[in-house]
Structure formats: C-alpha cells, structure tokens
Amino acid sequence: MTRGLALLLLIAILLAAGLWQPHDPDAVDILARHSGPSLSHPLGTDHLGRDLLSRLMIGGLRTGTVIVAVASIGFAGGALFGTLAALLGGWRETVILRASQVFIMVPTLIVALTAAAVFGLSPLNAGIALGLAAIGPLTLFTHSLTKRVLGQPFITAAVALGVPPLGMLTRHLLPNTLPALLTYIGNQSGAAAIAYASLAFIGLGADPSLPDWGGMLFEYRMFIFDNPMLLIWPGLALGVTVFILNRMFDR
Amino acid sequence: MQSGLGLLVISFAAFAIIALMPADPVEIAIRAWNLAATDETVAALRREWGLDRPFLVRYGDWLVSFLQGEWGRSFRTGEPVFEEFMKRLPLSLLLGASGIGLAIALALPIGFVSALHPGGLADRLSRLLSVATQSIPIFATGLVLIWVLGVKLRWLQPFSDHAAAVMLSICLISLHSMAVLARVYRQGLQAAMAQPWFLTARAKGLSDARALWRHAHPSAFYAVIAAVHAEAGWVIGSSATMEILFGLPGISQFLVLSISARDQMVLQAYVMVVALWMILVDLLARFLMSRLDPRLS
Amino acid sequence: MSFVLRNCLAGVVIATGLVASLPVSAADQLRFGATFITSGLDPAKGSNGWALASHGVGEKLFMVDRDGKLVPELAQSAERTGDLEWTIKLKQDRFFSDGTPVTAAALKAGFDHTFASNGAALATGGKLEFAADGDFVLKVATEKPVPLIQALFAEWPLIAYKPGPEEGTAIFSGPYQIAEFKADNAVELSPNPHFDDADTRAPVSLKRFGDAQAMAIALESGELDLAFGLPSESVARLERNPDLTIKSFPVGYQYFAFLNTERPALQEVAVRQAIDLAFDREELAAAINGGMPATGAYAPYFPFAAKDARMGDLAKAEALLDAAGWEKGSDGIRSKDGKELRLLAITYPQRPDLVTMLPVIKAELARAGIALDTRIVDNISEVAAGGDFDIALWAQHTAPSGDPAFFLNSMLRTGASLNYTNYASAEFDAIIDRFATTGDPEERVQIALDAQNKLFEDVPVSFLVSPVWYVGLSQRMKNYEPWGSDYHVLRADIGQGR
C-alpha cells in the first residue's frame, strides 16, 4: 500500500516538475557558469550557466516517459505472450516462441539505430525502441517461468480439483510468476534511461538541448572530475527513482 | 533447424529494413569522397555495389554468397566485409562472452548469500549495486575506474596495455549485468523457500544453506538462465561502449562507423553476427535448462 | 561492490603482472594520441592524403610553414612557362622510404592516380597533366588557369607519393613510414631510414581515441607523450599536474555555421542575416574556453583575414525578422503564415567544441525568437551532403595552403562538390574568379576581402569563433611546438627528448 503511494507520489513529482521550473532550462548565462548552490540556483549551474535544478526537473519528465514506455510496452507484450504460450501449448505455443526467438535475435543496437535514423533519436523514440526490443526476451522469460510453475504438483492438484481456467490463472499461476517477472521489470526499467545515455556515447548523439537524466549524464561527462556535482545530481535522481521502482516489485 | 529458419527470417527482414533506410549510400559516397556527381559516376557505383538490380535478386545473391563465406565488400573501405569482421570479431566475442560468464559467476554467490540472510549486508549491497548500475551509465563507471586505477593509483595502463583494457572492459560489462542476475537469483531462491516442500526439507533437519542449495537452487538457477538470455542483448550495447572508451577495434565500433555511411553490406553482416550470437546463447541456455529440468526438453 | 571489485582487481593485477614481465622491445618509442587517424593507406581515397601528411608520412611539393608562409618542400622552385603550363624543379637529395630518389616520373605516377580518383584534387586547377622532363623536372599543365601553382601543390589532396606495387598502396618520402596500420585503432610509425637524421628519431605509436576524455586520462596516467586536441574542459585540471606541459596554439581552423540556403525559411536573406546578427560570439568563445570572435572566413593571423570581429546585434536581428513578417507569438517563437520559425541545427562529436556550442547557439537564437532543434551526427559530411539540415556547425581549416582561394572555391562556389549551403551567387563566383587571374599577393588579399564582404551580405555561412587548441605533453616531449593546426602533428623536428 505504502509502496503504491510512493509510486504515485513519484509520478506526481515528476509531472509537476516537468510542467514548471524556476528558470528556463535552456537559458544560457555564460558569466554564471559552474556556480555553486545559491538561492536563485539551489543546485548551482552547469558549464553554460544553465540552472541545474530546472534542467533536472524538466529532464525527469522525459526520463519518466522513457521508463514508462519501456516498462509498459515490454511488460504488457512479454507477460501476455509468455503466459499465453505456456497456457495454450501446441502449435500456438510453438509459433509464439519461434516468433520471439526471431525477435530476440534483432540486436537492440540495430533497432535503436534504425529508429534513430528514421525518426531521430529522442528519449521517447529510444524508449519505444527499447521497449519493443524487450518484448522478445520477456516473452521467453515469462514462458519459461510459467512452464515451470505449471509443472508443480499443486497445479496438477488444482487441475484435478477442477479449478476453472481463470481462477487457475489468478489464484495459482500469476502469484507464482509475477514476483520474478516484476523483479525483472523493476530491475530493468531504469536501465532504459541509462541505455539511452550509452547509446548517445556510442555515437548516436544525444540532443544536449533536450535534457533527460540519461542525456545529462552523457553531456556532463566532460566535467566528471572537475565539477562532479553535475553528474551526481542526475545520477542521484535516477538512483532514487530506480530504487523506488525496485522496492515496489522486489520482495 | 528452427534456428536456421529464424536466421533466414531475420536476414530477410534486416535486408529489407537496411535497403529501405532513408539515405542512399551512393549519394553519400559521392559527396564524402568528392566524386563528380555525374550520371555516369552514379551508375558506375550502383553497378559496382550491385544496387542496380531488383531487391529480391540482390537478396538472393547475397544469401547464396553469404553462406559461402563471401559477405560482400564494404562500401566505405572497399575491403571484403568477411575479413573486416574476422579481424574484429574475436575481440568483441571475448568481451561479450567473458563479460556474461563473469556476471553469472559473481551473481550466484551474491544472490545466494542475499537469500540466506534477507536484509543482511550482501542483500543490501547487491540491492545498492543494482540501483547504482541503473543510475550510472557504464561509460561513467569506466571513466572513473580508469582514472582511479590509471591516474591515482598507477596500477595499470588501460590504454597502452591491451590486456588491461580488455580485462577492465570485461569487469565493467559483467558488473553492469551482474546486479540484475543476482536479484533474479535471490528472488528465485526466496520464492522456492516459501514452498511447502522446502519447509519439509527444512523439517528433515537440513541446514538453511544446504536446503537452499539442494532444493531451491535448481529452480532459481533456472530463472537466472532465462534472464541471461534476455541480458545477452544488453551485453552487446555494453561492449560497444567499452570498445569506444578504450579504443578497442571490435565490431561494434566498426558498426558505428559504418552506420553513417549506410554501408549496407557491413550492417547486414552485423545483424547476422549478432543473430548468431543470440542463437548461441539460446542453445546454451536451453541445454542448461533441459539439464536442470528434463521435463521441459 | 567491494567484493566484485576485489575479484576484478585481482584478475587485472595478475594479468598486468604477466604482461609487464614480457621484455620491452621499443623502450624509447614515443606514444602519441589523437582523435583521428587515417582511415586507410591509399592516399587518393577520402581524406587519407591529409591524414598521412599529418602523420609525418607524406610530403607535398610545397607546404605552409609555421609562420603561414608558402615554402618549397619536395620541390625546389616552380616557374610559369605558359598560360596553363608550369615547370617544377625538384630537390635532388630526397628519397622515398624504399631508398629510391624522389623523381619526376615517380611523382607523375602518383599524381595521375590522385587525379583519376579524388575529386577534391580538381578544386583549384581542374585536371592536371604531368610529364617528367629528366629525373628532377616535372612539367605540369593545368585545365584552368592557376595564379599560384605553389599554393595548389600545398593543398592536402596533392600529397606526393609513388604508387606501390599493389593497387591502393603507396610509398612516401616523409620523416616517418608506416610500420603497421590497425584500422580504427592505431598507426605504428618508424623513422624513414632515408630521411635526414633518421637515427635521431624514435618510433612513434599513434593511437586513435574514440573519446577525447579518455585521451586526457591516458595523458594523466602517463601513457601518452603527446595528446593532440585535448578537451578544453580538462585543461585546467591537467595544468595542475607538474609532470605535464599543456600548450595552446591558435589554429587555422575556423568554427562557423553553414546555412542551407535551399531550406524554406533560409531562402530569405533577411532570416539568414538575422541569424548572423543573433549570434553572440564572445559568449560562444567563452563557452569553449578558448578562442576569439571570428573576423571572417580566416584565422586572424592570415594577411587576408578581415580586420574587425563580427559583431552580433540582437535588436537589429529582431528588427530584420519583424520587417520580414516573422512575428513573435505568445510563446516567444516567431511565425509567418502559420508556420513556426523552427530550424534544425546539426553538428558532429569529433570536434567536441562544436557540441558545446550547439546549446549556446540554441539559446542565442531563442532570444531572437527562432526555435532550434538540434542533432548530433557521427558523420557530418555525409549528413550535410544529404541536405537535411538548416544550420550545420562546422570546423574547417580555411587556408591550409596559405592561400585564401581553396576554401571559397571548394565550399561556396555555385555547384562546388562540397558546397553544402547550396549557395549559388553569380556575383560571388565572379569575385572568386579573379583569383585565377592574379598571383600578386596584395591583389589576392583584396579579392579575399571582397569575397568575405559578399558572404557577410548574403550569409550562406556565419563565421563564429577562431579557436585555440590544446596539446598535452609529457616531460619527454615538453619541447614540442604545436603549429599548423593538425596538418603537421608529426614532422621532421618534433623536439623529442631521450
């Protein structure tokens, strides 16, 4: 319950921060660069004199979008197909599994690169591409988990007792597969924002004018030794978010 | 057999996507190489690269020669793609395979101790690590590590010493994959511990650690293998980052250079190589899974 | 974390121990780092000719020395013998790295290969015909009249070489020769034994860094004797290190913005002029930690550079846009006929300064009511050639041959192969046509100034910053004097210590 509240609170904060910032996050003030915390700039300014807090705030919304895109696309697709395949069996199972195995072989890098080449690399495009790329592996992951639970004696017993399919799914199957699945998703969701920063590093190029936490880590990497706070703040913001997500699902 | 079919589907899909990418390699090359953009030059390049033939014919030709180890010539460097790949592949393979191997080897003990003492030091550390690896990109970890080891401590020379660069890369790659695997493993162990048969085993007088190892480990390890499967895709991204950070000439760095030239032969070969890597991981995972749980094979 | 680290470290330490115990063969080898190396060994392909000269492998007939003067390198002198004909005398004591003398016949074979396969070589004189007259006299016939053949032979595509036995290979005459080439990774150079004072030169390992930050760390960790093109952000930190010497030097490179004159909004001269006025060049120079506002197309130390720094004027920019009917909306962005004034700016990561400048430019244009989308692409010349951009931030050496004509001819003339702006002005072409008719330095200065004034007026390109670059040196290389931008990173005298 409190976990759900924490998640709602997180979403509310990200939304509010994305809609209003104390300064224009893109406004450059070269004379005030690398300034320390002050009343006007609580977290100081970056190498171009832009307000770090404002950039963090607007960046959170973009980062949140990426995380939600990756997690929901990947989770919805993967959990659905994986459970279906395991339950249906027969040729339908074979088709779903083969399709995911084909899907999984397309390198994430190629998916992201193609998306970047065609649509431009924005955090959201990257999130959708990464989410789509996650469906294949998650389907296989869910499928193998479900299969394993289905082989357990208590399922055989439930079948013998004549538990209806839906009750079977909700009462016996999901409670046994969801925890591992959610752990996996919770553990992977933040990775998307970071994957985006790494894609930028590889040379796809993040847009320095559309800050998101991952992109900020990339942009400020030049100051990792000289003004490390520029990296610590977005890293910390990302860390807290990931931590909440992990706690949500990790029992 | 099925993998073969999968490869075929992949190869066709990739060929189609790459051929349909917006920028035209001939146009790009003419400007990049300062060739005169006359109709003759364009036609000559199209002929040289085989782009003047219908799409299906090109695909068929490519497929036949690919199977014979003839992967075409790079548009950008003019060298045979197969040789360019073979020069760079061993390094990338070393990074990817060792990275994931080390990740599993480290994830198991950490996950095991975490499950044995939930909330204990190992559990909290592994959770912290899992959060950290998701909030700090691998290039930042890499830069700090290089700086600490190379500049502050002077223990090694990550740029002039090839072996050190490779070792560091492998450590970083595995560090970033390990956290997820350890959490999944711990999760699997915990789930098994809640089962009635586990309590029975405990009741029979087995110690926690022994009961966990004998009865919960197989199913938890099973979940790890499934997760490794999914992790194999991320590892490719990590090794690309490492190749650029350390200036290691592997296939991912080659890919990034080829992307902007729309070097179709290289892109196609890259998709195939990665697909083969995924199949390899898949076969290995399935082999391990069937050993663990023969009912599924 | 600590557990993992310890495991990793143990492995690493064991491995380095093993490596360190191997015998060290080239104890006095010099280790250089740069963010570029040649992409191949065929000097006629792409920009390999430039890179090979920069590596100290190839030479040209003439070169620009450290004072920006055009001086003979492999040639002794050049003389006009007709409208389109020149006679070039070669130095007689120069040898290729295989020990054979640099003869007219050998060079002719090399140049013929270059002109057959590299369009960039055609920029100034069209296709050149060569004939050997004896061993050391090279007769040259140009397609177009050339006022100054010395400058033409100092251009980077015209690297001098003898074609090698295999297709695509070449033999050069510079102080270094290539011992090993590892694509995308490193060039191993050894002294050319047939170049003067070969025994005073140590072999050099030139490593390519995909990331400039990594190169700075490599310098700090003592793994490099010379790091060329350090990121300016790390200079302050590196200067505090007593083992290192950091030198800055003005470069012939200029940072500017190409404006794609074929894009709808940028077809209007007023919009281009407003963009030019909206740039605050002082701010841009400060953002990259080094450099000064550009005066025009050339670095300020060249005689043909314009004299006054280009000044921004935000109020004037806004007035121009107002007059052109681009009205500011409530969000501060201008629009006309329901279309927003939203442009796409691109640049490339190989010159990190440009990436730093990109958001500054965005902020500056925003002040004038111009919205900017930005994109960083890995291979700018290919993307720019594709034409999908409004503004391209660019770094370019604008007078590499010590002469102003090449840049204007190759990048701004109507229909030129590298004219990414698609600028097409008969008036401008007429001005730079005058370059072809006079070899008088004074007159060429005037032509360059006229051409720049025309560019200031039409703004197919907006000149931004004349930067300085940084080179980091170990104790052993502390006498290295950087000059000539990145055209001569390695050369006969690099001031190496033992």
Side-chain angles (χ1 to χ4, degrees), chain C residues 93-404:
Chain C
D93 54 348
R94 302 303 305 275
F95 295 90
F96 288 114
S97 58
D98 64 356
T100 59
V102 176
T103 60
L107 293 184
K108 170 189 156 48
F111 285 130
D112 283 346
H113 175 59
T114 299
F115 276 93
S117 41
N118 195 341
L122 308 171
T124 306
K127 193 160 165 43
L128 270 55
E129 301 290 342
F130 296 85
D133 179 6
D135 273 354
F136 299 106
V137 175
L138 189 62
K139 302 234 177 202
V140 183
T142 63
E143 194 179 344
K144 292 184 279 182
V146 173
L148 204 64
I149 201 85
Q150 291 90 333
L152 182 117
F153 278 106
E155 288 170 9
W156 66 257
L158 292 184
I159 185 166
Y161 61 93
K162 172 169 89 172
E166 288 160 53
E167 173 71 25
T169 63
I171 298 160
F172 300 94
S173 58
Y176 293 92
Q177 60 182 349
I178 290 180
E180 198 188 347
F181 170 66
K182 296 178 231 161
D184 310 338
N185 185 31
V187 193
E188 305 295 338
L189 300 162
S190 60
N192 168 3
H194 303 284
F195 197 95
D196 285 352
D197 306 320
D199 52 342
T200 64
R201 247 165 243 123
V204 176
S205 170
L206 176 63
K207 187 171 163 58
R208 172 184 173 268
F209 284 81
D211 183 58
Q213 178 96 316
M215 182 169 72
I217 298 177
L219 178 71
E220 271 183 295
S221 70
E223 288 176 71
L224 290 178
D225 293 302
L226 181 150
F228 194 90
L230 288 169
S232 59
E233 295 88 347
S234 62
V235 165
R237 179 178 86 246
L238 297 175
E239 276 174 340
R240 289 193 293 269
N241 187 331
D243 296 333
L244 301 177
T245 309
I246 310 296
K247 292 185 181 175
S248 74
F249 62 110
V251 290
Y253 279 81
Q254 294 286 90
Y255 294 160
F256 48 78
F258 279 135
L259 306 183
N260 186 350
T261 61
E262 272 186 358
R263 300 277 276 201
L266 296 184
Q267 284 175 358
E268 289 179 53
V269 179
V271 175
R272 301 204 299 266
Q273 288 170 335
I275 290 174
D276 189 40
L277 286 167
F279 289 136
D280 180 345
R281 291 166 177 81
E282 303 260 349
E283 188 176 61
L284 285 167
I288 58 171
N289 296 309
M292 55 201 99
T295 63
Y298 306 98
Y301 58 82
F302 284 111
F304 38 82
K307 293 292 158 279
D308 303 318
R310 301 285 298 150
M311 294 301 287
D313 187 338
L314 189 56
K316 215 159 144 192
E318 299 221 58
L320 269 175
L321 289 170
D322 285 337
W326 290 97
E327 278 165 27
K328 243 183 192 170
S330 55
D331 55 354
I333 298 173
R334 291 172 187 276
S335 54
K336 182 156 92 172
D337 307 329
K339 207 155 164 24
E340 260 193 351
L341 189 44
R342 178 172 286 279
L343 305 177
L344 172 65
I346 57 172
T347 193
Y348 49 106
Q350 291 87 349
R351 296 259 186 247
D353 282 349
L354 297 179
V355 179
T356 308
M357 284 161 68
L358 194 59
V360 182
I361 276 168
K362 176 174 172 148
E364 288 173 356
L365 292 184
R367 289 171 202 152
I370 301 169
L372 199 65
D373 294 317
T374 51
R375 197 147 70 90
I376 296 170
V377 295
D378 211 41
N379 210 332
I380 189 78
S381 37
E382 288 160 8
V383 178
D388 185 21
F389 74 98
D390 292 293
I391 298 176
L393 280 189
W394 204 277
Q396 176 90 30
H397 198 312
T398 48
S401 58
D403 185 74

Side-chain angles (χ1 to χ4, degrees), chain A residues 33 207 209 221-223 226, chain C residues 213 231 233 237 286 362 374:
Chain A
R33 60 176 155 168
D207 189 334
S209 299
R221 77 193 188 289
M222 301 309 287
F223 308 98
D226 302 294
Chain C
Q213 178 96 316
E233 295 88 347
R237 179 178 86 246
K362 176 174 172 148
T374 51

